[in-house]
Amino acid sequence: MKEYTDYDLSGANTFRMKVRCARYIQYDNAKELESIDWDSLPRPVRHIGGGSNLLFTGDFPGTLLHSGISYVKYVDMGFDDVPVMAGAGVRFDDFVENVCRNGLWGAENLSGIPGEVGAAAVQNIGAYGVEVKDIIKGVVCFDTRTRSMVKFQTCECDYGYRDSLFKHSDGRYIVTAVLFRVSRVHGPRLEYKGVRESLGLGPEDSGESLTPMQVREAVMSLRNSKLPDPEVLGSAGSYFKNPVVDAVTFARVIDIARREFGADVTVPHFILGGGMVKIPAAWLIDRCGLKGVREGGAAVYERQPLVIVNASGSATPSDVLALETRVIAGVRNRFGIELHPEVEHL
């Protein structure tokens, strides 16, 4: 276990905010969590992953913990379903690549998402019609209140859209490992038109000859065409959640769009259960003329307006927050829809 005081967090967040924390602890196994003198730590105490879904709003006055638990273990009993246990500190995309190389289905649509396994389970990350909860079988945590290990089945994790029990536990549970369930059974998820097009498939093609690695490569190509590489241009990936609205609100959005942009305009959407509709936040932001706008060193990414980037390389937290406020106000004023950040603010 390694501990640091007055720690520089520039390399611990993909936004590249130049901030610090009072103490930073990286541990290598769950036992080390039990040995920490929790009562002596500077407050507040928070756990972070790869910092790919975070905006530090300033220096963090307390303690940040980070997992170095890094393993992937298969439990192959010859059944169609294959359990895989991964440590919380494993890069999530490394896990996905590992699964795909083994010819197993379930994780391929989640390729290219930055961050770590533990944070993926907390955030319920998702892309192209798949959420990570779809392949999670259980989550192992350290309970900071009882100072003991606890386990949660998927049904106990209260998973929702970019949400889970762990996001509302006030830091009580620290994910140490995640049990996934992937499959030998051929099962590409091809609901998203962009994925099918990237694979060169027609609308009626079942993709019966595809491998998980082929789908992964298509997803990676699609993501790379739209999203910035955080190693090159600082960002936290998709900054806003896609709003989910009822049918009445969606009809109002269509009416506004046709009045302002022409009677033949089409509002992209995805039908959910219960009469609810998901609208791409990127489309709303773009239609508000906000693509490429800047506040200080921060900008709405020109190739994908769902993303806010550290365009200058020296953007401050206040730059990003000002741009966030501007985007939310712009969408609210034009469409009457309130966007909410997907990125966690610390």
Side-chain angles (χ1 to χ4, degrees):
M1 185 164 60
K2 298 177 181 178
E3 297 190 40
Y4 307 89
T5 57
D6 190 28
Y7 187 73
D8 178 7
L9 294 167
S10 302
N13 72 103
T14 58
F15 241 133
R16 300 183 191 167
M17 294 292 105
K18 295 177 174 59
V19 293
R20 310 182 77 85
C21 66
R23 188 174 298 180
Y24 185 88
I25 299 175
Q26 175 156 315
Y27 57 92
D28 295 321
N29 56 69
K31 281 292 184 182
E32 290 182 340
L33 285 171
E34 299 176 13
S35 70
I36 292 174
D37 182 1
W38 292 88
D39 295 331
S40 70
L41 298 179
R43 304 287 168 170
V45 178
R46 296 295 299 270
H47 196 283
I48 64 172
S52 59
N53 196 52
L54 288 177
L55 172 65
F56 285 104
T57 58
D59 288 340
F60 189 75
T63 302
L64 292 175
L65 297 108
H66 178 255
S67 174
I69 304 174
S70 184
Y71 64 84
V72 177
K73 297 179 180 178
Y74 288 81
V75 185
D76 190 347
M77 302 295 290
F79 297 109
D80 287 341
D81 285 346
V82 180
V84 190
M85 182 73 83
V90 173
R91 287 183 68 250
F92 184 77
D93 192 53
D94 289 348
F95 165 76
V96 175
E97 182 179 26
N98 190 310
V99 168
C100 290
R101 287 198 182 283
N102 279 282
L104 298 168
W105 293 93
E108 60 282 351
N109 286 38
L110 301 173
S111 295
I113 299 178
E116 298 173 355
V117 163
V122 171
Q123 176 72 1
N124 187 25
I125 60 173
Y128 304 114
V130 176
E131 293 180 320
V132 75
K133 72 173 178 61
D134 300 335
I135 59 169
I136 288 179
K137 190 172 183 179
V139 181
V140 182
C141 299
F142 177 75
D143 185 337
T144 60
R145 187 177 300 173
T146 64
R147 313 287 166 84
S148 61
M149 303 303 296
V150 293
K151 298 177 182 178
F152 295 92
Q153 296 182 55
T154 309
C155 61
E156 299 173 306
C157 295
D158 292 340
Y159 279 125
Y161 176 51
R162 305 297 180 267
D163 200 16
S164 73
L165 161 75
F166 312 112
K167 294 187 74 172
H168 303 281
S169 67
D170 196 27
R172 175 176 178 177
Y173 301 113
I174 294 175
V175 177
T176 59
V178 180
L179 179 61
F180 296 94
R181 181 183 59 227
V182 290
S183 179
R184 289 190 173 86
V185 178
H186 185 269
R189 296 286 299 274
L190 304 172
E191 295 91 337
Y192 270 69
K193 180 181 178 183
V195 175
R196 299 186 71 90
E197 290 177 346
S198 187
L199 285 161
L201 300 178
E204 305 302 322
D205 196 325
S206 66
E208 61 184 18
S209 64
L210 291 173
T211 67
M213 187 57 72
Q214 287 175 318
V215 177
R216 168 179 166 78
E217 290 169 353
V219 168
M220 293 288 286
S221 176
L222 189 57
R223 289 183 65 87
N224 291 338
S225 70
K226 296 181 177 182
L227 300 173
D229 182 348
E231 296 294 326
V232 178
L233 186 62
S235 80
S238 299
Y239 196 93
F240 297 99
K241 297 177 183 179
N242 292 318
V244 176
V245 302
D246 58 29
V248 173
T249 302
F250 181 56
R252 188 184 73 234
V253 170
I254 293 175
D255 183 57
I256 293 169
R258 289 176 176 171
R259 285 201 318 265
E260 299 205 19
F261 310 118
D264 60 344
V265 71
T266 298
V267 179
H269 62 281
F270 189 77
I271 302 296
L272 305 176
M276 304 302 286
V277 181
K278 183 188 293 184
I279 305 173
W283 184 89
L284 296 168
I285 296 167
D286 189 16
R287 287 291 181 167
C288 289
L290 293 166
K291 185 187 292 185
V293 300
R294 295 180 67 128
E295 290 284 348
V300 175
Y301 191 45
E302 292 185 350
R303 290 163 61 185
Q304 170 51 276
L306 190 58
V307 177
I308 291 177
V309 296
N310 184 348
S312 67
S314 57
T316 65
S318 59
D319 292 341
V320 179
L321 290 170
L323 188 54
E324 173 192 312
T325 300
R326 182 174 173 181
V327 170
I328 290 173
V331 173
R332 181 197 306 121
N333 293 339
R334 171 154 284 178
F335 292 106
I337 290 178
E338 192 79 11
L339 292 184
H340 297 281
E342 179 178 323
V343 171
E344 183 180 3
H345 295 42
L346 280 185

